[in-house]
PDB file of all heavy atoms in Angstrom:
ATOM      1  N   ALA A  71    -234.852  45.931  38.800  1.00 81.00           N
ATOM      2  CA  ALA A  71    -234.208  44.919  37.957  1.00 81.00           C
ATOM      3  C   ALA A  71    -234.043  45.425  36.525  1.00 81.00           C
ATOM      4  O   ALA A  71    -234.874  46.177  36.022  1.00 81.00           O
ATOM      5  CB  ALA A  71    -235.040  43.639  37.958  1.00 81.00           C
ATOM      6  N   SER A  72    -232.956  45.011  35.888  1.00 81.00           N
ATOM      7  CA  SER A  72    -232.692  45.469  34.523  1.00 81.00           C
ATOM      8  C   SER A  72    -233.686  44.897  33.520  1.00 81.00           C
ATOM      9  O   SER A  72    -233.899  45.469  32.461  1.00 81.00           O
ATOM     10  CB  SER A  72    -231.275  45.108  34.115  1.00 81.00           C
ATOM     11  OG  SER A  72    -231.112  43.703  34.159  1.00 81.00           O
ATOM     12  N   ASP A  73    -234.321  43.781  33.849  1.00 85.00           N
ATOM     13  CA  ASP A  73    -235.297  43.196  32.931  1.00 85.00           C
ATOM     14  C   ASP A  73    -236.727  43.654  33.211  1.00 85.00           C
ATOM     15  O   ASP A  73    -237.675  43.125  32.645  1.00 85.00           O
ATOM     16  CB  ASP A  73    -235.208  41.673  32.972  1.00 85.00           C
ATOM     17  CG  ASP A  73    -235.492  41.104  34.357  1.00 85.00           C
ATOM     18  OD1 ASP A  73    -235.505  41.880  35.331  1.00 85.00           O
ATOM     19  OD2 ASP A  73    -235.697  39.881  34.457  1.00 85.00           O
ATOM     20  N   ALA A  74    -236.902  44.663  34.068  1.00 83.00           N
ATOM     21  CA  ALA A  74    -238.225  45.186  34.387  1.00 83.00           C
ATOM     22  C   ALA A  74    -238.784  45.955  33.186  1.00 83.00           C
ATOM     23  O   ALA A  74    -238.033  46.461  32.358  1.00 83.00           O
ATOM     24  CB  ALA A  74    -238.138  46.111  35.599  1.00 83.00           C
ATOM     25  N   PRO A  75    -240.089  46.044  33.082  1.00 87.00           N
ATOM     26  CA  PRO A  75    -240.684  46.822  31.988  1.00 87.00           C
ATOM     27  C   PRO A  75    -240.282  48.296  32.073  1.00 87.00           C
ATOM     28  O   PRO A  75    -239.977  48.814  33.154  1.00 87.00           O
ATOM     29  CB  PRO A  75    -242.191  46.665  32.206  1.00 87.00           C
ATOM     30  CG  PRO A  75    -242.352  45.552  33.166  1.00 87.00           C
ATOM     31  CD  PRO A  75    -241.083  45.401  33.921  1.00 87.00           C
ATOM     32  N   GLN A  76    -240.301  48.968  30.954  1.00 87.00           N
ATOM     33  CA  GLN A  76    -239.875  50.371  30.890  1.00 87.00           C
ATOM     34  C   GLN A  76    -240.729  51.265  31.791  1.00 87.00           C
ATOM     35  O   GLN A  76    -240.229  52.211  32.386  1.00 87.00           O
ATOM     36  CB  GLN A  76    -239.925  50.874  29.434  1.00 87.00           C
ATOM     37  CG  GLN A  76    -239.314  52.248  29.244  1.00 87.00           C
ATOM     38  CD  GLN A  76    -237.840  52.308  29.618  1.00 87.00           C
ATOM     39  OE1 GLN A  76    -237.083  51.395  29.305  1.00 87.00           O
ATOM     40  NE2 GLN A  76    -237.424  53.353  30.290  1.00 87.00           N
ATOM     41  N   ALA A  77    -242.007  50.958  31.931  1.00 85.00           N
ATOM     42  CA  ALA A  77    -242.881  51.770  32.788  1.00 85.00           C
ATOM     43  C   ALA A  77    -242.405  51.724  34.244  1.00 85.00           C
ATOM     44  O   ALA A  77    -242.415  52.741  34.945  1.00 85.00           O
ATOM     45  CB  ALA A  77    -244.322  51.282  32.680  1.00 85.00           C
ATOM     46  N   ASP A  78    -241.979  50.540  34.701  1.00 82.00           N
ATOM     47  CA  ASP A  78    -241.466  50.414  36.071  1.00 82.00           C
ATOM     48  C   ASP A  78    -240.146  51.151  36.237  1.00 82.00           C
ATOM     49  O   ASP A  78    -239.884  51.749  37.279  1.00 82.00           O
ATOM     50  CB  ASP A  78    -241.285  48.946  36.439  1.00 82.00           C
ATOM     51  CG  ASP A  78    -242.615  48.218  36.594  1.00 82.00           C
ATOM     52  OD1 ASP A  78    -243.655  48.903  36.675  1.00 82.00           O
ATOM     53  OD2 ASP A  78    -242.604  46.973  36.622  1.00 82.00           O
ATOM     54  N   LYS A  79    -239.290  51.097  35.209  1.00 81.00           N
ATOM     55  CA  LYS A  79    -238.026  51.836  35.267  1.00 81.00           C
ATOM     56  C   LYS A  79    -238.275  53.333  35.335  1.00 81.00           C
ATOM     57  O   LYS A  79    -237.619  54.049  36.099  1.00 81.00           O
ATOM     58  CB  LYS A  79    -237.159  51.497  34.058  1.00 81.00           C
ATOM     59  CG  LYS A  79    -236.608  50.101  34.072  1.00 81.00           C
ATOM     60  CD  LYS A  79    -235.787  49.836  32.837  1.00 81.00           C
ATOM     61  CE  LYS A  79    -235.293  48.410  32.813  1.00 81.00           C
ATOM     62  NZ  LYS A  79    -234.520  48.114  31.620  1.00 81.00           N
ATOM     63  N   ASP A  80    -239.233  53.816  34.539  1.00 81.00           N
ATOM     64  CA  ASP A  80    -239.583  55.242  34.566  1.00 81.00           C
ATOM     65  C   ASP A  80    -240.118  55.643  35.932  1.00 81.00           C
ATOM     66  O   ASP A  80    -239.803  56.714  36.450  1.00 81.00           O
ATOM     67  CB  ASP A  80    -240.613  55.560  33.481  1.00 81.00           C
ATOM     68  CG  ASP A  80    -240.052  55.434  32.079  1.00 81.00           C
ATOM     69  OD1 ASP A  80    -238.803  55.419  31.922  1.00 81.00           O
ATOM     70  OD2 ASP A  80    -240.859  55.343  31.132  1.00 81.00           O
ATOM     71  N   ARG A  81    -240.929  54.783  36.528  1.00 79.00           N
ATOM     72  CA  ARG A  81    -241.484  55.046  37.850  1.00 79.00           C
ATOM     73  C   ARG A  81    -240.369  55.164  38.899  1.00 79.00           C
ATOM     74  O   ARG A  81    -240.341  56.087  39.696  1.00 79.00           O
ATOM     75  CB  ARG A  81    -242.447  53.923  38.236  1.00 79.00           C
ATOM     76  CG  ARG A  81    -243.075  54.094  39.589  1.00 79.00           C
ATOM     77  CD  ARG A  81    -243.916  52.845  39.933  1.00 79.00           C
ATOM     78  NE  ARG A  81    -243.907  52.614  41.332  1.00 79.00           N
ATOM     79  CZ  ARG A  81    -242.940  52.051  42.036  1.00 79.00           C
ATOM     80  NH1 ARG A  81    -241.847  51.644  41.458  1.00 79.00           N
ATOM     81  NH2 ARG A  81    -243.033  51.887  43.329  1.00 79.00           N
ATOM     82  N   ALA A  82    -239.418  54.213  38.863  1.00 80.00           N
ATOM     83  CA  ALA A  82    -238.306  54.238  39.817  1.00 80.00           C
ATOM     84  C   ALA A  82    -237.450  55.485  39.627  1.00 80.00           C
ATOM     85  O   ALA A  82    -237.020  56.111  40.592  1.00 80.00           O
ATOM     86  CB  ALA A  82    -237.453  52.980  39.668  1.00 80.00           C
ATOM     87  N   TYR A  83    -237.215  55.868  38.373  1.00 78.00           N
ATOM     88  CA  TYR A  83    -236.422  57.063  38.086  1.00 78.00           C
ATOM     89  C   TYR A  83    -237.133  58.322  38.590  1.00 78.00           C
ATOM     90  O   TYR A  83    -236.512  59.197  39.180  1.00 78.00           O
ATOM     91  CB  TYR A  83    -236.147  57.163  36.582  1.00 78.00           C
ATOM     92  CG  TYR A  83    -235.252  58.319  36.223  1.00 78.00           C
ATOM     93  CD1 TYR A  83    -233.873  58.180  36.292  1.00 78.00           C
ATOM     94  CD2 TYR A  83    -235.772  59.550  35.843  1.00 78.00           C
ATOM     95  CE1 TYR A  83    -233.038  59.241  35.990  1.00 78.00           C
ATOM     96  CE2 TYR A  83    -234.950  60.609  35.533  1.00 78.00           C
ATOM     97  CZ  TYR A  83    -233.579  60.453  35.603  1.00 78.00           C
ATOM     98  OH  TYR A  83    -232.753  61.502  35.316  1.00 78.00           O
ATOM     99  N   SER A  84    -238.446  58.388  38.380  1.00 77.00           N
ATOM    100  CA  SER A  84    -239.174  59.582  38.821  1.00 77.00           C
ATOM    101  C   SER A  84    -239.260  59.667  40.343  1.00 77.00           C
ATOM    102  O   SER A  84    -239.304  60.758  40.898  1.00 77.00           O
ATOM    103  CB  SER A  84    -240.572  59.628  38.204  1.00 77.00           C
ATOM    104  OG  SER A  84    -241.384  58.597  38.708  1.00 77.00           O
ATOM    105  N   ILE A  85    -239.252  58.536  41.027  1.00 77.00           N
ATOM    106  CA  ILE A  85    -239.252  58.561  42.493  1.00 77.00           C
ATOM    107  C   ILE A  85    -237.922  59.117  42.999  1.00 77.00           C
ATOM    108  O   ILE A  85    -237.880  59.946  43.901  1.00 77.00           O
ATOM    109  CB  ILE A  85    -239.505  57.156  43.077  1.00 77.00           C
ATOM    110  CG1 ILE A  85    -240.951  56.752  42.831  1.00 77.00           C
ATOM    111  CG2 ILE A  85    -239.186  57.110  44.567  1.00 77.00           C
ATOM    112  CD1 ILE A  85    -241.250  55.307  43.165  1.00 77.00           C
ATOM    113  N   GLU A  86    -236.815  58.675  42.394  1.00 76.00           N
ATOM    114  CA  GLU A  86    -235.488  59.119  42.833  1.00 76.00           C
ATOM    115  C   GLU A  86    -235.213  60.572  42.445  1.00 76.00           C
ATOM    116  O   GLU A  86    -234.749  61.359  43.253  1.00 76.00           O
ATOM    117  CB  GLU A  86    -234.417  58.205  42.235  1.00 76.00           C
ATOM    118  CG  GLU A  86    -232.992  58.645  42.502  1.00 76.00           C
ATOM    119  CD  GLU A  86    -232.558  58.534  43.948  1.00 76.00           C
ATOM    120  OE1 GLU A  86    -233.211  57.830  44.737  1.00 76.00           O
ATOM    121  OE2 GLU A  86    -231.564  59.174  44.295  1.00 76.00           O
ATOM    122  N   HIS A  87    -235.503  60.936  41.202  1.00 73.00           N
ATOM    123  CA  HIS A  87    -235.099  62.251  40.687  1.00 73.00           C
ATOM    124  C   HIS A  87    -236.234  63.252  40.551  1.00 73.00           C
ATOM    125  O   HIS A  87    -235.980  64.412  40.239  1.00 73.00           O
ATOM    126  CB  HIS A  87    -234.419  62.078  39.322  1.00 73.00           C
ATOM    127  CG  HIS A  87    -233.210  61.217  39.389  1.00 73.00           C
ATOM    128  ND1 HIS A  87    -232.040  61.622  39.985  1.00 73.00           N
ATOM    129  CD2 HIS A  87    -233.000  59.931  38.992  1.00 73.00           C
ATOM    130  CE1 HIS A  87    -231.146  60.647  39.915  1.00 73.00           C
ATOM    131  NE2 HIS A  87    -231.705  59.617  39.328  1.00 73.00           N
ATOM    132  N   GLY A  88    -237.460  62.840  40.719  1.00 74.00           N
ATOM    133  CA  GLY A  88    -238.587  63.744  40.550  1.00 74.00           C
ATOM    134  C   GLY A  88    -239.067  63.759  39.110  1.00 74.00           C
ATOM    135  O   GLY A  88    -238.509  63.115  38.236  1.00 74.00           O
ATOM    136  N   ARG A  89    -240.111  64.523  38.879  1.00 70.00           N
ATOM    137  CA  ARG A  89    -240.697  64.605  37.546  1.00 70.00           C
ATOM    138  C   ARG A  89    -240.852  66.081  37.204  1.00 70.00           C
ATOM    139  O   ARG A  89    -241.469  66.838  37.942  1.00 70.00           O
ATOM    140  CB  ARG A  89    -242.054  63.893  37.556  1.00 70.00           C
ATOM    141  CG  ARG A  89    -242.618  63.572  36.237  1.00 70.00           C
ATOM    142  CD  ARG A  89    -243.880  62.714  36.319  1.00 70.00           C
ATOM    143  NE  ARG A  89    -244.817  63.167  37.318  1.00 70.00           N
ATOM    144  CZ  ARG A  89    -245.309  62.394  38.294  1.00 70.00           C
ATOM    145  NH1 ARG A  89    -244.958  61.154  38.400  1.00 70.00           N
ATOM    146  NH2 ARG A  89    -246.168  62.883  39.158  1.00 70.00           N
ATOM    147  N   LYS A  90    -240.269  66.498  36.098  1.00 74.00           N
ATOM    148  CA  LYS A  90    -240.314  67.906  35.697  1.00 74.00           C
ATOM    149  C   LYS A  90    -241.554  68.215  34.869  1.00 74.00           C
ATOM    150  O   LYS A  90    -242.180  69.237  35.036  1.00 74.00           O
ATOM    151  CB  LYS A  90    -239.064  68.281  34.887  1.00 74.00           C
ATOM    152  CG  LYS A  90    -237.777  68.004  35.617  1.00 74.00           C
ATOM    153  CD  LYS A  90    -237.643  68.846  36.854  1.00 74.00           C
ATOM    154  CE  LYS A  90    -236.324  68.590  37.543  1.00 74.00           C
ATOM    155  NZ  LYS A  90    -236.386  68.329  38.928  1.00 74.00           N
ATOM    156  N   LYS A  91    -241.894  67.338  33.944  1.00 70.00           N
ATOM    157  CA  LYS A  91    -243.071  67.528  33.090  1.00 70.00           C
ATOM    158  C   LYS A  91    -243.829  66.223  33.042  1.00 70.00           C
ATOM    159  O   LYS A  91    -243.277  65.160  33.243  1.00 70.00           O
ATOM    160  CB  LYS A  91    -242.656  67.910  31.670  1.00 70.00           C
ATOM    161  CG  LYS A  91    -241.963  69.233  31.558  1.00 70.00           C
ATOM    162  CD  LYS A  91    -241.615  69.508  30.122  1.00 70.00           C
ATOM    163  CE  LYS A  91    -240.873  70.825  29.998  1.00 70.00           C
ATOM    164  NZ  LYS A  91    -240.463  71.091  28.619  1.00 70.00           N
ATOM    165  N   GLY A  92    -245.079  66.316  32.769  1.00 65.00           N
ATOM    166  CA  GLY A  92    -245.861  65.094  32.653  1.00 65.00           C
ATOM    167  C   GLY A  92    -247.328  65.364  32.835  1.00 65.00           C
ATOM    168  O   GLY A  92    -247.751  66.500  33.096  1.00 65.00           O
ATOM    169  N   ASP A  93    -248.115  64.324  32.713  1.00 69.00           N
ATOM    170  CA  ASP A  93    -249.565  64.453  32.830  1.00 69.00           C
ATOM    171  C   ASP A  93    -249.984  64.824  34.250  1.00 69.00           C
ATOM    172  O   ASP A  93    -251.000  65.468  34.454  1.00 69.00           O
ATOM    173  CB  ASP A  93    -250.241  63.136  32.437  1.00 69.00           C
ATOM    174  CG  ASP A  93    -249.957  62.777  30.990  1.00 69.00           C
ATOM    175  OD1 ASP A  93    -249.644  63.694  30.205  1.00 69.00           O
ATOM    176  OD2 ASP A  93    -250.035  61.584  30.647  1.00 69.00           O
ATOM    177  N   ARG A  94    -249.198  64.408  35.208  1.00 66.00           N
ATOM    178  CA  ARG A  94    -249.577  64.625  36.609  1.00 66.00           C
ATOM    179  C   ARG A  94    -248.804  65.759  37.267  1.00 66.00           C
ATOM    180  O   ARG A  94    -248.728  65.831  38.485  1.00 66.00           O
ATOM    181  CB  ARG A  94    -249.357  63.334  37.393  1.00 66.00           C
ATOM    182  CG  ARG A  94    -250.307  62.253  36.950  1.00 66.00           C
ATOM    183  CD  ARG A  94    -250.102  60.998  37.732  1.00 66.00           C
ATOM    184  NE  ARG A  94    -249.714  59.960  36.773  1.00 66.00           N
ATOM    185  CZ  ARG A  94    -249.045  58.887  37.084  1.00 66.00           C
ATOM    186  NH1 ARG A  94    -248.663  58.680  38.292  1.00 66.00           N
ATOM    187  NH2 ARG A  94    -248.751  58.011  36.160  1.00 66.00           N
TER     188      ARG A  94
END
Side-chain angles (χ1 to χ4, degrees):
S72 61
D73 60 346
Q76 188 61 41
D78 290 346
K79 290 179 183 179
D80 292 343
R81 180 185 148 281
Y83 184 85
S84 68
I85 289 171
E86 174 69 17
H87 300 289
R89 195 173 45 234
K90 304 296 182 230
K91 295 181 182 177
D93 298 337
R94 293 181 241 156

